[in-house]
Amino acid sequence: MGAAVEPDADKQPMRFRQSAALLRELTERAAVATFLVGTNGELFYSNQACCDLLGYEPHETSGLALTDIIHPDHLATTRQQLSGLNRGEAEDYRAERQYLRKNGDAIWVDVRAAILRHERSGRPLYVIVQAIDIDRRKKAEAALAEAESRWNFALEGAGQGVWDHDLRNKRAFFSRTWKLMRGLDPDAPVDPAAAAWLDKVHPDDRDRIRDTIRRQDAGEIPHNAFEYRERHR
């Protein structure tokens, strides 16, 4: 085991003098886009990762306004959150929103912002913002939502009800048509427990259903298709 080493007191002043330069160097080399926003809403500083994210040269970012980098749909919310930081209602916040690149393209980012105050007076000086590129994830989510919407529309048009049970995560999905077929509210929650479902199955069909499910769970059959009677609401 190594022994703890006391810092050399003679070197402390040098360390403190170098701390500001070291912090700036660390920020400049950070992989996460980082910038400072003044109380007037203008960018005061941005690191290289921020320039790369937004497509600007380093000398072009100083003096940019929020309207230059934030999508109009998210501008009002951003201003409201920044005002809350300046008024002391919060010390930080996190949000997902769209930024604008220099060429006008919108990009989704995960934003974390925190207020920086004067050490003695507590007066707000800057807001430090860090932004992570989540554009691919958001576009994938949008594409998936669109695909699911089309799938659900097709199923509803065909009058087919669907349920899906994720055994590993213990989650279940019941489609709108599945609920309507049973006289349930389309937005009503459904108990995903197998016992709750079997309780609604006609007594004369339960043993057969249980045996079929058991055989599939045991790997004796790759899939099954069966008819049974189920009680309406």
Side-chain angles (χ1 to χ4, degrees):
M1 295 179 61
V5 179
E6 291 292 335
D8 189 340
D10 294 337
K11 296 181 179 179
Q12 292 302 301
M14 180 180 295
R15 180 190 300 176
F16 292 143
R17 286 197 300 271
Q18 294 175 340
S19 61
L22 177 61
L23 179 60
R24 184 181 181 90
E25 183 71 11
L26 289 173
T27 304
E28 188 62 29
R29 293 179 178 272
V32 177
T34 305
F35 60 91
L36 291 178
V37 180
T39 54
N40 61 354
E42 292 185 356
L43 269 68
F44 176 76
Y45 162 79
S46 58
N47 68 354
Q48 185 60 50
C50 179
C51 296
D52 294 340
L53 177 70
L54 300 179
Y56 286 94
E57 294 297 327
H59 68 275
E60 296 178 314
T61 59
S62 181
L64 287 177
L66 292 178
T67 52
D68 296 321
I69 66 169
I70 297 178
H71 193 282
D73 292 347
H74 302 272
L75 193 57
T77 302
T78 301
R79 285 174 170 162
Q80 182 179 7
Q81 290 176 318
L82 290 176
S83 295
L85 295 182
N86 288 323
R87 291 194 301 267
E89 298 173 359
E91 290 301 310
D92 55 51
Y93 70 80
R94 179 176 179 179
E96 292 184 356
R97 56 175 50 109
Q98 285 180 297
Y99 278 6
L100 295 175
R101 293 174 57 84
K102 181 182 177 179
N103 62 5
D105 290 345
I107 181 174
W108 278 99
V109 292
D110 183 343
V111 176
R112 300 189 183 193
I115 191 75
L116 299 179
R117 302 183 182 278
H118 191 278
E119 184 177 349
R120 295 181 180 178
S121 68
R123 178 173 55 88
L125 298 176
Y126 307 103
V127 175
I128 183 169
V129 182
Q130 293 183 312
I132 299 174
D133 184 352
I134 58 170
D135 200 58
R136 284 188 178 181
R137 191 198 70 178
K138 296 293 287 188
K139 288 180 178 178
E141 289 175 353
L144 179 61
E146 182 179 359
E148 289 183 347
S149 177
R150 291 179 178 177
W151 180 70
N152 287 329
F153 181 79
L155 289 175
E156 288 191 17
Q160 297 182 11
V162 175
W163 68 271
D164 178 82
H165 196 181
D166 186 341
L167 298 176
R168 182 177 58 183
N169 296 314
K170 298 181 179 180
R171 291 197 299 262
F173 164 78
F174 301 88
S175 73
R176 172 186 172 88
T177 304
W178 188 96
K179 296 178 182 180
L180 291 175
M181 289 169 63
R182 290 154 176 80
L184 303 173
D185 186 323
D187 298 321
V190 177
D191 187 346
W197 167 62
L198 283 170
D199 184 59
K200 296 180 177 62
V201 174
H202 194 286
D204 293 346
D205 297 330
R206 287 176 190 166
D207 289 341
R208 175 172 54 87
I209 296 295
R210 285 195 186 98
D211 183 63
T212 303
I213 294 174
R214 179 196 61 77
R215 292 174 59 205
Q216 182 174 359
D217 290 345
E220 297 177 11
I221 52 177
H223 63 273
N224 62 61
F226 50 83
E227 296 180 355
Y228 65 93
R229 292 162 288 182
E230 187 172 334
R231 189 168 65 246
H232 194 271
R233 182 177 62 86

